[in-house]
Amino acid sequence: MQLVEPRPQRPIPIRITPLIDVVFILLVFFMLTSRLLPVDYLELANNTSASRQVAGNPLPLLTVTADGRIQWQGKALTVHQLTSELAGSGITEANLATVPNATLGAFTRTLSALTESGIEVHWQRPAGTSP
């Protein structure tokens, strides 16, 4: 007397439908729990009040224009001209702003050049804009 049936000769096929269901459930779970950030904004720390006192001269305002030049004291300068003038004036800290149609590339080039020349830069967001 045989208590267990013998194994069939052909292999039992793996049912893929439940596996696909599990994959879709995992996909939905990770899509709902992940945090998506906008890619067109550059997040920078902008806490100038904690790092310096209010007394003294205000920080110079540098504005990046649409053509990549930087306006300072009514003059439009290139990045290299600006860094040499700031170093000559003994300025080690400045606020950096942009006009609305300035490119992100011009902003990052200016920010990098000023940081590399030893100037501490604070990004100033224009009034009325939100991320």
Side-chain angles (χ1 to χ4, degrees), residues 104-128:
L104 180 62
F107 172 75
T108 53
R109 277 192 299 276
T110 305
L111 182 66
S112 299
L114 291 172
T115 304
E116 287 174 3
S117 66
I119 297 170
E120 186 178 346
V121 182
H122 306 283
W123 179 55
Q124 183 174 8
R125 178 175 290 162

Side-chain angles (χ1 to χ4, degrees), residues 16-110:
I16 208 127
T17 306
L19 294 175
I20 293 173
D21 291 343
V22 169
V23 168
F24 281 128
I25 289 171
L26 288 172
L27 178 67
V28 169
F29 172 76
F30 286 115
M31 285 174 53
L32 292 176
T33 59
S34 66
R35 183 175 151 199
L36 300 176
L37 293 175
V39 294
D40 56 344
Y41 293 107
L42 180 63
E43 186 175 332
L44 299 174
N46 193 16
N47 55 355
T48 57
S49 61
S51 64
R52 65 183 249 113
Q53 299 293 329
V54 179
N57 294 332
L59 294 178
L61 178 63
L62 311 172
T63 306
V64 180
T65 60
D67 61 353
R69 297 174 77 82
I70 300 100
Q71 280 193 319
W72 180 51
Q73 295 180 339
K75 297 183 283 185
L77 305 168
T78 63
V79 175
H80 300 294
Q81 293 171 338
L82 178 71
T83 54
S84 63
E85 283 206 25
L86 289 175
S89 301
I91 296 173
T92 60
E93 208 173 347
N95 285 330
L96 185 63
T98 60
V99 295
N101 57 350
T103 62
L104 180 62
F107 172 75
T108 53
R109 277 192 299 276
T110 305

